[in-house]
Amino acid sequence: MRRTRMSLAATVAASLLLAGCGGGGSDQPGADGGSPEGKPAVVETWPLTGQQVPDGKSPKSPAYIVKIDNTAASNPQVGLGKADLVVEELVEGGITRLAAFFQSQLPRKVGPVRSMRLTDIGIAKPLGAEIVTSGAAGVTLQGLAEAGVKFADMSNPAVARVSDGQHDSLHSVMADLVKLSRQKKQSSRPVDYLPWGKASDFPGGRAATSIDARMSAARTAHWSFSGGKYRLDNSYMPADDTFTADTVIVCKVRTSVASYTDPAGNPVPISHFEGTGDAVIFHGGKAVRGTWTKSQIGTTVTFATKTGSLTVPAGKTWLHLVPNTGGDVSFR
């Protein structure tokens, strides 16, 4: 969401300066903190958080979605503390994988980087950002190509195995997003990933200081609310590199099974992040129930309650794609 702000004092001062000095000093548009021709200054916001972009940064900078392992073998996960937004998705065997979104901060090391799934099309396509991955099955690669979703894998020198003494070979792939960003020029601002709004617009709901998002029989995410933030109690993030969420969202989604199995013979689920379904949004220790809608696989998601549309307070967000079958959410 882009918001505008009029600074009366700055506008008047700039007008007097230009009239009186005939171009003395800086004549660059916006050099006075306002904008050309006395128009109100535009407050730029990050598309992945809705928060204001600080001076010296640009919302047109590249954004990346890194596929990160979410099992004990990934301990410790690296770089998630710098993520803007995280989507947790179900993969085979009842475990989950993270799609971590980065733009406002790009870590030099993030991972362990793992493979993509067909679910990632619905997650990535609205943003138009590159997925950073260790690879994918042939069926997934074909689906991504047909959907026009781009990715960077281990053929890129910015995605490589490292020997850090903490991870086994399978979980040793890390990405350098700074190096990756130097390979890409971004000419436009990505779309807002969520319908951002203000915390004051978030309706009061039921108290929710403890959340259980059940992804499968093998994985339930336990969240605690404290000090205005939600913290994941059963994560693999180290204390000094932890993603703390301003908002946690649970979207109930339809799932199906891919046409292939993993090497152990497990069916591979596909979570369909399109259509509509139940949703619960947690913010400020409160829970609001509603619905999510995403008309096509490449469109952005919207939320609504019985009384109308619902925005997401600007900030860091963790989004669970919870299966309609076998998944659930509860809170206390």
Side-chain angles (χ1 to χ4, degrees), residues 11-182:
T11 302
V12 172
S15 300
L16 291 174
L17 178 63
L18 290 173
C21 298
S26 175
D27 60 355
Q28 297 299 315
D32 59 353
S35 56
E37 301 177 0
K39 294 180 180 179
V42 175
V43 177
E44 298 279 14
T45 58
W46 292 115
L48 297 178
T49 66
Q51 295 174 315
Q52 185 173 337
V53 178
D55 292 341
K57 298 260 188 171
S58 171
K60 295 181 180 179
S61 57
Y64 298 97
I65 302 172
V66 185
K67 293 304 303 295
I68 297 180
D69 187 83
N70 197 39
T71 66
S74 67
N75 191 4
Q77 293 166 330
V78 180
L80 277 173
K82 289 184 170 64
D84 293 317
L85 183 149
V86 177
V87 178
E88 185 168 354
E89 63 184 274
L90 184 68
V91 294
E92 59 277 5
I95 63 174
T96 63
R97 197 153 287 176
L98 307 180
F101 290 58
F102 296 87
Q103 187 192 28
S104 66
Q105 299 182 85
L106 299 181
R108 296 301 305 254
K109 182 180 180 182
V110 58
V113 179
R114 296 300 306 276
S115 57
M116 299 176 290
R117 299 293 183 272
L118 288 170
T119 297
D120 296 321
I121 297 174
I123 293 173
K125 190 169 176 61
L127 188 66
E130 269 189 326
I131 299 178
V132 180
T133 179
S134 61
V139 173
T140 300
L141 293 175
Q142 181 180 348
L144 290 164
E146 292 173 352
V149 177
K150 298 180 179 180
F151 62 89
D153 60 14
M154 293 180 66
S155 64
N156 191 304
V159 186
R161 296 193 184 279
V162 301
S163 298
D164 58 9
Q166 296 179 302
H167 301 94
D168 61 27
S169 177
L170 181 63
H171 300 84
S172 65
V173 180
M174 299 287 168
D176 183 338
L177 298 189
V178 173
K179 182 185 289 187
L180 199 59
S181 70
R182 291 171 180 164

Side-chain angles (χ1 to χ4, degrees), residues 62-326:
Y64 298 97
I65 302 172
V66 185
K67 293 304 303 295
I68 297 180
D69 187 83
N70 197 39
T71 66
S74 67
N75 191 4
Q77 293 166 330
V78 180
L80 277 173
K82 289 184 170 64
D84 293 317
L85 183 149
V86 177
V87 178
E88 185 168 354
E89 63 184 274
L90 184 68
V91 294
E92 59 277 5
I95 63 174
T96 63
R97 197 153 287 176
L98 307 180
F101 290 58
F102 296 87
Q103 187 192 28
S104 66
Q105 299 182 85
L106 299 181
R108 296 301 305 254
K109 182 180 180 182
V110 58
V113 179
R114 296 300 306 276
S115 57
M116 299 176 290
R117 299 293 183 272
L118 288 170
T119 297
D120 296 321
I121 297 174
I123 293 173
K125 190 169 176 61
L127 188 66
E130 269 189 326
I131 299 178
V132 180
T133 179
S134 61
V139 173
T140 300
L141 293 175
Q142 181 180 348
L144 290 164
E146 292 173 352
V149 177
K150 298 180 179 180
F151 62 89
D153 60 14
M154 293 180 66
S155 64
N156 191 304
V159 186
R161 296 193 184 279
V162 301
S163 298
D164 58 9
Q166 296 179 302
H167 301 94
D168 61 27
S169 177
L170 181 63
H171 300 84
S172 65
V173 180
M174 299 287 168
D176 183 338
L177 298 189
V178 173
K179 182 185 289 187
L180 199 59
S181 70
R182 291 171 180 164
Q183 305 169 11
K184 181 180 180 181
K185 291 184 178 179
Q186 186 83 4
S187 59
S188 61
R189 178 188 185 276
V191 300
D192 284 340
Y193 194 78
L194 295 173
W196 301 115
K198 297 181 294 185
S200 58
D201 296 331
F202 190 73
R206 293 178 58 189
T209 56
S210 180
I211 308 166
D212 292 331
R214 177 184 169 93
M215 301 291 294
S216 71
R219 167 65 179 172
T220 297
H222 303 294
W223 292 91
S224 297
F225 180 76
S226 176
K229 301 284 186 178
Y230 293 92
R231 289 169 174 79
L232 190 56
D233 298 330
N234 55 337
S235 81
Y236 304 104
M237 296 177 280
D240 61 349
D241 191 13
T242 296
F243 182 97
T244 54
D246 296 289
T247 303
V248 175
I249 302 176
V250 173
C251 290
K252 297 291 292 294
V253 299
R254 178 178 66 89
T255 59
S256 63
V257 179
S259 61
Y260 67 99
T261 59
D262 75 353
N266 295 309
V268 179
I270 305 170
S271 295
H272 297 272
F273 196 26
E274 59 180 305
T276 188
D278 293 334
V280 187
I281 300 181
F282 301 91
H283 179 82
K286 302 289 185 180
V288 174
R289 293 186 182 272
T291 57
W292 65 269
T293 300
K294 196 164 170 283
S295 59
Q296 298 177 13
I297 200 166
T299 56
T300 53
V301 65
T302 60
F303 299 95
T305 64
K306 293 180 180 179
T307 59
S309 61
L310 182 63
T311 58
V312 178
K316 291 194 172 189
T317 302
W318 189 291
L319 171 61
H320 289 279
L321 297 184
V322 171
N324 281 328
T325 302

